[in-house]
Amino acid sequence: MNSVISNIDAIDINAVAELQHCLDLSDITSLVFLLYDAPHTALERLTLLHRVSEVHSRNMDLLCDWARLSQTRNSWKYELLEALSICQLFGAIKKLGFNVDEVKRHFLPHNVHVTHYINPMKKLLYKICENIQMENLLKLKKTLVTFDIDVQEYETCELIFLKLIVEEFIMIGSWKTECKIQEQCNMKNLTNIFRNLQGLMKFALELQEAENYLNNGPKPLDVTAKVVEPQKLKLNHTNYIDFKQIDELFQNLSINEELNESSLKLKSDSSKLHQESYPIIKKSRLGICYIINQEEFYSSKESIAKNIKQPEDRKGTEKDEIKLSKIMKLYNFEVVVDRNLNHQQIPRKIKDVIKNDVLEEDSIFIFCILSHGIEGCVFGADSVPVPIKTIWDILDSDAASKLHGKPKVLIIQACQESHQPRSEFVADGLDKPFHSLTYTPKSDFLTYWATAPELSAYRCEKEGSIFIQMLCFRVHQLGKEEQLCDIFTKVNEDVIVISKSSNYIQVPSVTSTLRRKLYLHLPV
């Protein structure tokens, strides 16, 4: 301590100017975040600094400007030294002529509860900035947008936190050199977000403990009482099933044989078959296959309010998307793909596809959604559930008149475990009466769920989901010969046998209001 005090006069404006030119953009950002008292000024100047080129940034003396304005405080040199210590800029400390070990012992940079001159909540927020992974930072940005806080332009965590302080989304208190908080901290908004985002519960606990300490003094924190885990939905069933074993299972199921049209023996004659089946209007284009692939999830204002924790990302789902797209194109479907849609975008995008992509001469409409789910619902990327009924209603509405009387196939890769309360979300504009006298509502639907109610649907991170992979295999193998419902029955058997062999239970489920047989290719 005596050494630190005796050398403190080594810090002056010239030393700060020389030091500033030895620091990179990241270091300057961290120091400004810790040192500037006015968050508006810090955010404004750092935003400009990040926008300009490296050459021009050299002319922005953010540290020198702070030092000049802070000289009226006797503590400004200690503030700088503590900030350098917190940022672990030990080379800079040594350059200023200080013993690094003595500075570390004095300021304890690794202890977030000990500060002398820097606001302790800022110290904790900086530590979070240093430890948060980029993947989680991107999710945090998406979550904040749902709170009407636009942080998309900010590339660093420090700038995002400054924005939250400016917007009074969080309040870090006013720290004085007497080591007292002059204003109460309020970090509840950020704490709630962290405890709902995957992998950030540690930060939530640290923020809450620090807030409790700064507002009320050093009291033991009852973690059980204070921080309640959001309801853990069993949404991430990524099971490491060895897909190399599937070839052997295929042989046991007798599904490896290559079938061709000559091997098909239909009991019905061709004319009767065509009368009993949905017509294929144009063989060169059967219709639209619309795929929504939900791989990445984040918390949102609504999911946090509903106490729904962010599901884990669905690694491996791109394999399902690729296979589905390939198979559907082979059967002359126009494939449209959207990814990572929130709960409001899902119904909106379905309407857009029906309006802009579906043609009058289309014979079939296929909708595939790959997501997490609970009974009767699938999840938007913002962790908010969307009822499947909402999707049915869109496809059954007057706005979807081009699909009236035509088969509509829904393929749903998602868990269907029970959960209460149910989401109350419904799509806009679905309460209009049906004006068509020639169309029977609720008819011509074929819905294929990856699993039955109260059960899970399983996925391999390397190969994709059992359900989608087996569905694509069977459609590719039998789609030119058998009606779709019969193919689905075979997929049911495949999935049940494969999941059972891996000690899981998954039972696909079909609901149908079809009026005729449905073929992807009418046998000749």
Side-chain angles (χ1 to χ4, degrees):
M1 175 63 182
N2 291 333
S3 175
V4 172
I5 294 176
S6 62
N7 292 341
I8 200 67
D9 288 335
I11 300 177
D12 57 22
I13 296 296
N14 292 330
V16 174
E18 184 178 348
L19 177 65
Q20 181 174 258
H21 290 292
C22 298
L23 301 175
D24 60 23
L25 178 62
S26 175
D27 296 332
I28 295 292
T29 300
S30 299
L31 290 171
V32 169
F33 174 76
L34 291 170
L35 291 170
Y36 273 50
D37 289 328
H40 291 81
T41 303
L43 180 61
E44 181 179 306
R45 300 206 66 187
L46 283 175
T47 301
L48 181 59
L49 179 67
H50 281 255
R51 287 176 180 170
V52 300
S53 66
E54 184 177 351
V55 175
H56 291 94
S57 68
R58 295 293 183 183
N59 298 322
M60 296 186 65
D61 298 328
L62 271 65
L63 288 184
C64 287
D65 291 346
W66 169 83
R68 293 188 188 97
L69 292 172
S70 302
Q71 286 186 89
T72 56
R73 296 197 303 269
N74 294 329
S75 62
W76 77 271
K77 298 178 181 181
Y78 295 98
E79 293 171 35
L80 176 62
L81 195 57
E82 183 172 17
L84 290 170
S85 175
I86 292 171
C87 296
Q88 300 185 56
L89 296 172
F90 301 129
I93 293 173
K94 188 175 181 180
K95 186 178 181 66
L96 290 171
F98 293 90
N99 182 288
V100 172
D101 290 334
E102 290 182 358
V103 171
K104 289 167 66 176
R105 280 195 296 270
H106 180 63
F107 290 112
L108 297 175
H110 297 292
N111 190 331
V112 296
H113 298 297
V114 176
T115 60
H116 295 271
Y117 304 97
I118 301 298
N119 186 311
M121 191 58 77
K122 273 191 177 182
K123 183 177 182 179
L124 175 55
L125 289 174
Y126 167 76
K127 291 298 182 184
I128 292 174
C129 291
E130 287 295 289
N131 289 284
I132 194 169
Q133 296 180 356
M134 181 56 66
E135 178 183 358
N136 284 325
L137 184 62
L138 294 175
K139 291 180 186 293
L140 174 62
K141 291 170 69 173
K142 291 179 180 179
T143 299
L144 290 171
V145 170
T146 69
F147 286 86
D148 297 322
I149 299 177
D150 187 4
V151 293
Q152 293 303 315
E153 69 170 305
Y154 304 130
E155 299 296 330
T156 70
C157 192
E158 289 93 339
L159 288 172
I160 292 172
F161 285 160
L162 282 171
K163 178 70 171 179
L164 298 186
I165 296 170
V166 168
E167 296 287 339
E168 297 185 352
F169 190 76
I170 58 175
M171 300 180 68
I172 62 172
S174 178
W175 182 252
K176 302 299 182 183
T177 55
E178 294 84 3
C179 299
K180 294 180 180 179
I181 283 285
Q182 303 296 313
E183 299 173 359
Q184 290 281 296
C185 296
N186 189 341
M187 307 299 291
K188 290 182 175 59
N189 288 330
L190 188 58
T191 300
N192 284 337
I193 290 175
F194 279 164
R195 70 188 181 95
N196 280 276
L197 285 171
Q198 284 286 341
L200 299 185
M201 177 58 77
K202 176 184 177 182
F203 296 154
L205 292 171
E206 290 176 345
L207 282 174
Q208 187 166 344
E209 184 177 6
E211 179 182 344
N212 181 69
Y213 179 87
L214 293 171
N215 288 341
N216 305 314
K219 297 179 181 179
L221 178 67
D222 185 350
V223 174
T224 304
K226 294 289 184 179
V227 177
V228 180
E229 276 270 16
Q231 186 161 0
K232 289 187 177 180
L233 306 178
K234 297 181 180 179
L235 302 174
N236 184 57
H237 297 285
T238 304
N239 297 283
Y240 299 95
I241 298 169
D242 186 0
F243 271 68
K244 292 180 180 178
Q245 298 176 1
I246 289 185
D247 285 339
E248 181 180 345
L249 290 167
F250 283 173
Q251 293 175 7
N252 294 334
L253 291 167
S254 300
I255 62 175
N256 266 336
E257 297 86 351
E258 286 294 330
L259 298 182
N260 51 54
E261 292 187 8
S262 62
S263 66
L264 180 65
K265 296 180 180 179
L266 294 173
K267 295 181 179 180
S268 301
D269 60 49
S270 179
S271 60
K272 184 177 180 181
L273 176 63
H274 283 252
Q275 291 173 2
E276 294 176 345
S277 306
Y278 285 97
I280 292 179
I281 301 170
K282 191 176 181 181
K283 291 183 179 180
S284 61
R285 176 190 162 109
L286 264 65
I288 290 291
C289 174
Y290 180 39
I291 301 171
I292 296 179
N293 185 12
Q294 307 284 65
E295 180 176 4
E296 299 175 353
F297 295 83
Y298 58 94
S299 289
S300 62
K301 183 177 182 179
E302 186 166 344
S303 70
I304 291 172
K306 293 177 181 292
N307 202 32
I308 299 174
K309 190 172 183 178
Q310 172 228 315
E312 292 185 9
D313 291 346
R314 301 181 60 255
K315 296 179 181 179
T317 187
E318 73 282 356
K319 301 290 186 181
D320 291 341
E321 178 194 318
I322 292 170
K323 187 65 68 69
L324 277 170
S325 297
K326 182 177 180 180
I327 292 297
M328 291 300 110
K329 287 177 181 177
L330 284 175
Y331 282 90
N332 295 327
F333 281 92
E334 183 75 23
V335 176
V336 179
V337 178
D338 277 311
R339 302 178 183 90
N340 302 323
L341 302 182
N342 65 39
H343 78 286
Q344 294 175 323
Q345 291 173 325
I346 289 174
R348 190 185 311 144
K349 287 285 189 176
I350 295 173
K351 292 177 184 178
D352 289 344
V353 168
I354 293 171
K355 179 180 178 181
N356 301 318
D357 296 287
V358 172
L359 303 180
E360 291 287 352
E361 62 266 27
D362 286 349
S363 303
I364 306 170
F365 180 82
I366 295 181
F367 172 70
C368 307
I369 185 161
L370 317 174
S371 185
H372 288 297
I374 51 177
E375 188 173 355
C377 300
V378 290
F379 275 82
D382 57 351
S383 305
V384 178
V386 177
I388 295 300
K389 183 181 182 301
T390 297
I391 299 171
W392 283 334
D393 288 345
I394 293 172
L395 299 178
D396 211 24
S397 66
D398 284 344
S401 59
K402 287 184 285 187
L403 298 177
H404 289 179
K406 298 176 183 179
K408 296 165 281 288
V409 181
L410 278 67
I411 297 172
I412 303 163
Q413 167 59 39
C415 294
Q416 288 298 297
E417 293 179 329
S418 298
H419 170 62
Q420 295 292 337
R422 290 282 187 86
S423 168
E424 297 178 356
F425 174 81
V426 293
D428 294 332
L430 298 180
D431 53 350
K432 296 180 181 179
F434 292 94
H435 300 295
S436 174
L437 299 177
T438 60
Y439 172 64
T440 304
K442 311 300 181 186
S443 63
D444 306 300
F445 277 93
L446 178 61
T447 305
Y448 197 17
W449 307 77
T451 195
E454 301 184 1
L455 294 180
S456 302
Y458 295 95
R459 171 173 37 86
C460 174
E461 290 188 348
K462 293 182 179 179
E463 302 293 341
S465 65
I466 302 174
F467 172 69
I468 294 296
Q469 294 297 316
M470 290 308 306
L471 175 63
C472 290
F473 177 85
R474 284 299 195 180
V475 169
H476 179 62
Q477 181 194 50
L478 304 173
K480 291 187 177 182
E481 301 154 355
E482 297 194 20
Q483 61 170 317
L484 211 51
C485 286
D486 290 341
I487 294 175
F488 287 177
T489 300
K490 288 182 170 61
V491 175
N492 285 1
E493 174 69 8
D494 299 339
V495 172
I496 291 170
V497 170
I498 292 172
S499 60
K500 187 176 180 181
S501 70
S502 301
N503 297 318
Y504 299 107
I505 299 176
Q506 179 175 343
V507 182
S509 174
V510 179
T511 59
S512 175
T513 59
L514 294 181
R515 297 174 293 114
R516 299 181 181 183
K517 296 178 180 179
L518 175 58
Y519 289 89
L520 299 180
H521 178 89
L522 286 177
V524 179

mmCIF file of all heavy atoms in Angstrom, residues 79 94 106 170 173 182 187 194 197 207 212 219 228 237 245 252 289 362 370 398 436 458 464 467 517:
data_model
loop_
_atom_site.group_PDB
_atom_site.id
_atom_site.type_symbol
_atom_site.label_atom_id
_atom_site.label_comp_id
_atom_site.label_asym_id
_atom_site.label_seq_id
_atom_site.Cartn_x
_atom_site.Cartn_y
_atom_site.Cartn_z
ATOM 1 N N GLU A 79 -8.342 5.939 -9.114
ATOM 2 C CA GLU A 79 -9.416 5.373 -9.942
ATOM 3 C C GLU A 79 -8.843 4.726 -11.196
ATOM 4 O O GLU A 79 -9.225 3.609 -11.574
ATOM 5 C CB GLU A 79 -10.410 6.474 -10.328
ATOM 6 C CG GLU A 79 -11.197 7.049 -9.158
ATOM 7 C CD GLU A 79 -11.988 8.278 -9.557
ATOM 8 O OE1 GLU A 79 -12.481 8.329 -10.711
ATOM 9 O OE2 GLU A 79 -12.110 9.216 -8.734
ATOM 10 N N LYS A 94 2.773 -1.624 -14.988
ATOM 11 C CA LYS A 94 4.234 -1.675 -14.879
ATOM 12 C C LYS A 94 4.869 -0.501 -15.609
ATOM 13 O O LYS A 94 5.852 0.088 -15.144
ATOM 14 C CB LYS A 94 4.738 -3.002 -15.450
ATOM 15 C CG LYS A 94 6.217 -3.250 -15.231
ATOM 16 C CD LYS A 94 6.598 -4.645 -15.714
ATOM 17 C CE LYS A 94 8.084 -4.903 -15.466
ATOM 18 N NZ LYS A 94 8.482 -6.265 -15.925
ATOM 19 N N HIS A 106 -3.518 -4.768 -3.368
ATOM 20 C CA HIS A 106 -4.271 -3.632 -2.837
ATOM 21 C C HIS A 106 -5.691 -3.573 -3.395
ATOM 22 O O HIS A 106 -6.660 -3.379 -2.651
ATOM 23 C CB HIS A 106 -3.537 -2.330 -3.152
ATOM 24 C CG HIS A 106 -4.247 -1.112 -2.644
ATOM 25 N ND1 HIS A 106 -4.467 -0.878 -1.309
ATOM 26 C CD2 HIS A 106 -4.808 -0.057 -3.308
ATOM 27 C CE1 HIS A 106 -5.121 0.265 -1.155
ATOM 28 N NE2 HIS A 106 -5.341 0.782 -2.357
ATOM 29 N N ILE A 170 -31.504 -0.944 -16.074
ATOM 30 C CA ILE A 170 -30.821 -1.334 -14.846
ATOM 31 C C ILE A 170 -30.318 -0.070 -14.169
ATOM 32 O O ILE A 170 -30.075 0.946 -14.826
ATOM 33 C CB ILE A 170 -29.637 -2.299 -15.100
ATOM 34 C CG1 ILE A 170 -28.606 -1.667 -16.044
ATOM 35 C CG2 ILE A 170 -30.128 -3.623 -15.641
ATOM 36 C CD1 ILE A 170 -27.361 -2.509 -16.252
ATOM 37 N N GLY A 173 -26.611 2.317 -9.142
ATOM 38 C CA GLY A 173 -26.342 3.109 -7.949
ATOM 39 C C GLY A 173 -25.231 4.116 -8.197
ATOM 40 O O GLY A 173 -24.498 4.038 -9.181
ATOM 41 N N GLN A 182 -24.933 5.702 -2.966
ATOM 42 C CA GLN A 182 -25.792 6.840 -2.673
ATOM 43 C C GLN A 182 -27.215 6.614 -3.184
ATOM 44 O O GLN A 182 -28.156 7.193 -2.668
ATOM 45 C CB GLN A 182 -25.201 8.100 -3.318
ATOM 46 C CG GLN A 182 -23.778 8.400 -2.871
ATOM 47 C CD GLN A 182 -23.684 8.702 -1.388
ATOM 48 O OE1 GLN A 182 -24.471 9.474 -0.863
ATOM 49 N NE2 GLN A 182 -22.731 8.097 -0.708
ATOM 50 N N MET A 187 -31.102 -4.280 -10.369
ATOM 51 C CA MET A 187 -30.626 -5.107 -11.478
ATOM 52 C C MET A 187 -31.626 -6.208 -11.833
ATOM 53 O O MET A 187 -31.295 -7.150 -12.548
ATOM 54 C CB MET A 187 -29.284 -5.748 -11.100
ATOM 55 C CG MET A 187 -28.224 -4.771 -10.628
ATOM 56 S SD MET A 187 -27.798 -3.555 -11.892
ATOM 57 C CE MET A 187 -26.957 -4.591 -13.077
ATOM 58 N N PHE A 194 -30.997 -13.095 -17.425
ATOM 59 C CA PHE A 194 -29.897 -14.050 -17.285
ATOM 60 C C PHE A 194 -30.382 -15.399 -16.761
ATOM 61 O O PHE A 194 -29.881 -16.443 -17.166
ATOM 62 C CB PHE A 194 -28.825 -13.490 -16.354
ATOM 63 C CG PHE A 194 -27.893 -12.516 -17.017
ATOM 64 C CD1 PHE A 194 -27.085 -11.686 -16.259
ATOM 65 C CD2 PHE A 194 -27.817 -12.419 -18.394
ATOM 66 C CE1 PHE A 194 -26.209 -10.782 -16.863
ATOM 67 C CE2 PHE A 194 -26.963 -11.523 -19.012
ATOM 68 C CZ PHE A 194 -26.158 -10.701 -18.240
ATOM 69 N N LEU A 197 -31.946 -17.303 -19.758
ATOM 70 C CA LEU A 197 -31.089 -17.688 -20.876
ATOM 71 C C LEU A 197 -30.217 -18.867 -20.464
ATOM 72 O O LEU A 197 -29.677 -18.893 -19.354
ATOM 73 C CB LEU A 197 -30.203 -16.514 -21.305
ATOM 74 C CG LEU A 197 -30.885 -15.399 -22.101
ATOM 75 C CD1 LEU A 197 -29.953 -14.203 -22.255
ATOM 76 C CD2 LEU A 197 -31.327 -15.893 -23.465
ATOM 77 N N LEU A 207 -25.322 -11.187 -9.834
ATOM 78 C CA LEU A 207 -25.959 -9.870 -9.853
ATOM 79 C C LEU A 207 -26.883 -9.692 -8.653
ATOM 80 O O LEU A 207 -26.892 -8.639 -8.007
ATOM 81 C CB LEU A 207 -26.752 -9.688 -11.150
ATOM 82 C CG LEU A 207 -25.960 -9.348 -12.411
ATOM 83 C CD1 LEU A 207 -26.877 -9.345 -13.622
ATOM 84 C CD2 LEU A 207 -25.271 -7.993 -12.273
ATOM 85 N N ASN A 212 -28.056 -7.253 -3.485
ATOM 86 C CA ASN A 212 -28.446 -7.427 -2.089
ATOM 87 C C ASN A 212 -27.388 -6.855 -1.151
ATOM 88 O O ASN A 212 -27.695 -6.167 -0.171
ATOM 89 C CB ASN A 212 -28.661 -8.916 -1.808
ATOM 90 C CG ASN A 212 -29.089 -9.184 -0.375
ATOM 91 O OD1 ASN A 212 -30.198 -8.836 0.016
ATOM 92 N ND2 ASN A 212 -28.214 -9.794 0.404
ATOM 93 N N LYS A 219 -25.314 -9.379 3.969
ATOM 94 C CA LYS A 219 -26.195 -10.380 4.556
ATOM 95 C C LYS A 219 -26.102 -11.654 3.736
ATOM 96 O O LYS A 219 -25.939 -11.609 2.525
ATOM 97 C CB LYS A 219 -27.646 -9.886 4.561
ATOM 98 C CG LYS A 219 -27.861 -8.643 5.412
ATOM 99 C CD LYS A 219 -29.305 -8.208 5.340
ATOM 100 C CE LYS A 219 -29.540 -6.945 6.163
ATOM 101 N NZ LYS A 219 -30.949 -6.495 6.076
ATOM 102 N N VAL A 228 -35.670 -18.114 -8.021
ATOM 103 C CA VAL A 228 -36.470 -19.281 -8.360
ATOM 104 C C VAL A 228 -36.187 -19.654 -9.800
ATOM 105 O O VAL A 228 -36.327 -18.834 -10.703
ATOM 106 C CB VAL A 228 -37.977 -18.985 -8.176
ATOM 107 C CG1 VAL A 228 -38.799 -20.210 -8.536
ATOM 108 C CG2 VAL A 228 -38.245 -18.542 -6.742
ATOM 109 N N HIS A 237 -34.375 -32.659 -26.132
ATOM 110 C CA HIS A 237 -34.138 -34.094 -26.100
ATOM 111 C C HIS A 237 -33.147 -34.453 -27.197
ATOM 112 O O HIS A 237 -33.490 -35.016 -28.220
ATOM 113 C CB HIS A 237 -35.451 -34.851 -26.258
ATOM 114 C CG HIS A 237 -36.387 -34.586 -25.123
ATOM 115 N ND1 HIS A 237 -36.222 -35.142 -23.877
ATOM 116 C CD2 HIS A 237 -37.459 -33.778 -25.023
ATOM 117 C CE1 HIS A 237 -37.182 -34.722 -23.065
ATOM 118 N NE2 HIS A 237 -37.934 -33.885 -23.742
ATOM 119 N N GLN A 245 -25.980 -47.780 -36.184
ATOM 120 C CA GLN A 245 -26.714 -49.008 -35.917
ATOM 121 C C GLN A 245 -27.994 -49.101 -36.742
ATOM 122 O O GLN A 245 -28.617 -50.151 -36.811
ATOM 123 C CB GLN A 245 -27.074 -49.086 -34.430
ATOM 124 C CG GLN A 245 -25.863 -49.120 -33.508
ATOM 125 C CD GLN A 245 -26.281 -49.090 -32.056
ATOM 126 O OE1 GLN A 245 -27.463 -49.063 -31.742
ATOM 127 N NE2 GLN A 245 -25.310 -49.104 -31.159
ATOM 128 N N ASN A 252 -33.372 -55.545 -40.095
ATOM 129 C CA ASN A 252 -34.341 -56.261 -39.271
ATOM 130 C C ASN A 252 -35.772 -55.873 -39.620
ATOM 131 O O ASN A 252 -36.702 -56.660 -39.473
ATOM 132 C CB ASN A 252 -34.087 -55.977 -37.786
ATOM 133 C CG ASN A 252 -32.755 -56.538 -37.323
ATOM 134 O OD1 ASN A 252 -32.257 -57.508 -37.900
ATOM 135 N ND2 ASN A 252 -32.172 -55.930 -36.295
ATOM 136 N N CYS A 289 -43.768 -26.874 -50.435
ATOM 137 C CA CYS A 289 -43.360 -27.454 -49.155
ATOM 138 C C CYS A 289 -42.681 -26.337 -48.373
ATOM 139 O O CYS A 289 -41.602 -25.870 -48.752
ATOM 140 C CB CYS A 289 -42.405 -28.629 -49.344
ATOM 141 S SG CYS A 289 -41.747 -29.274 -47.781
ATOM 142 N N ASP A 362 -51.617 -25.681 -57.800
ATOM 143 C CA ASP A 362 -50.946 -26.579 -56.857
ATOM 144 C C ASP A 362 -51.912 -27.657 -56.379
ATOM 145 O O ASP A 362 -53.106 -27.404 -56.177
ATOM 146 C CB ASP A 362 -50.416 -25.799 -55.654
ATOM 147 C CG ASP A 362 -49.177 -24.981 -55.992
ATOM 148 O OD1 ASP A 362 -48.621 -25.185 -57.092
ATOM 149 O OD2 ASP A 362 -48.769 -24.149 -55.163
ATOM 150 N N LEU A 370 -39.776 -27.667 -37.510
ATOM 151 C CA LEU A 370 -38.787 -28.383 -36.715
ATOM 152 C C LEU A 370 -38.436 -27.489 -35.533
ATOM 153 O O LEU A 370 -37.799 -26.447 -35.700
ATOM 154 C CB LEU A 370 -37.539 -28.680 -37.554
ATOM 155 C CG LEU A 370 -37.781 -29.172 -38.992
ATOM 156 C CD1 LEU A 370 -36.463 -29.278 -39.752
ATOM 157 C CD2 LEU A 370 -38.506 -30.505 -38.985
ATOM 158 N N ASP A 398 -60.306 -18.016 -44.972
ATOM 159 C CA ASP A 398 -60.618 -17.496 -46.303
ATOM 160 C C ASP A 398 -59.367 -17.006 -47.017
ATOM 161 O O ASP A 398 -59.295 -17.027 -48.250
ATOM 162 C CB ASP A 398 -61.623 -16.348 -46.193
ATOM 163 C CG ASP A 398 -63.035 -16.853 -45.912
ATOM 164 O OD1 ASP A 398 -63.269 -18.064 -46.116
ATOM 165 O OD2 ASP A 398 -63.880 -16.058 -45.483
ATOM 166 N N SER A 436 -67.188 -19.349 -48.161
ATOM 167 C CA SER A 436 -67.316 -20.316 -49.244
ATOM 168 C C SER A 436 -68.409 -21.330 -48.933
ATOM 169 O O SER A 436 -68.478 -21.877 -47.836
ATOM 170 C CB SER A 436 -65.984 -21.047 -49.454
ATOM 171 O OG SER A 436 -66.140 -22.078 -50.393
ATOM 172 N N TYR A 458 -36.967 -37.324 -30.252
ATOM 173 C CA TYR A 458 -35.522 -37.382 -30.052
ATOM 174 C C TYR A 458 -34.752 -37.014 -31.312
ATOM 175 O O TYR A 458 -35.206 -37.235 -32.431
ATOM 176 C CB TYR A 458 -35.118 -38.777 -29.562
ATOM 177 C CG TYR A 458 -35.688 -39.075 -28.199
ATOM 178 C CD1 TYR A 458 -36.891 -39.769 -28.059
ATOM 179 C CD2 TYR A 458 -35.053 -38.621 -27.056
ATOM 180 C CE1 TYR A 458 -37.427 -40.010 -26.811
ATOM 181 C CE2 TYR A 458 -35.579 -38.863 -25.804
ATOM 182 C CZ TYR A 458 -36.768 -39.559 -25.684
ATOM 183 O OH TYR A 458 -37.301 -39.789 -24.449
ATOM 184 N N GLY A 464 -29.390 -35.705 -37.125
ATOM 185 C CA GLY A 464 -30.759 -35.224 -37.215
ATOM 186 C C GLY A 464 -31.702 -36.067 -36.374
ATOM 187 O O GLY A 464 -31.287 -36.924 -35.593
ATOM 188 N N PHE A 467 -37.331 -39.200 -36.359
ATOM 189 C CA PHE A 467 -38.601 -39.084 -37.073
ATOM 190 C C PHE A 467 -38.410 -38.544 -38.488
ATOM 191 O O PHE A 467 -38.875 -39.145 -39.471
ATOM 192 C CB PHE A 467 -39.537 -38.182 -36.267
ATOM 193 C CG PHE A 467 -40.814 -37.827 -36.962
ATOM 194 C CD1 PHE A 467 -41.793 -38.777 -37.188
ATOM 195 C CD2 PHE A 467 -41.048 -36.527 -37.387
ATOM 196 C CE1 PHE A 467 -42.976 -38.449 -37.829
ATOM 197 C CE2 PHE A 467 -42.225 -36.183 -38.020
ATOM 198 C CZ PHE A 467 -43.188 -37.145 -38.242
ATOM 199 N N LYS A 517 -57.752 -40.717 -50.705
ATOM 200 C CA LYS A 517 -56.382 -41.187 -50.575
ATOM 201 C C LYS A 517 -55.442 -40.112 -51.112
ATOM 202 O O LYS A 517 -55.761 -39.411 -52.067
ATOM 203 C CB LYS A 517 -56.187 -42.484 -51.359
ATOM 204 C CG LYS A 517 -57.014 -43.651 -50.821
ATOM 205 C CD LYS A 517 -56.820 -44.895 -51.671
ATOM 206 C CE LYS A 517 -57.663 -46.051 -51.123
ATOM 207 N NZ LYS A 517 -57.512 -47.278 -51.951
#
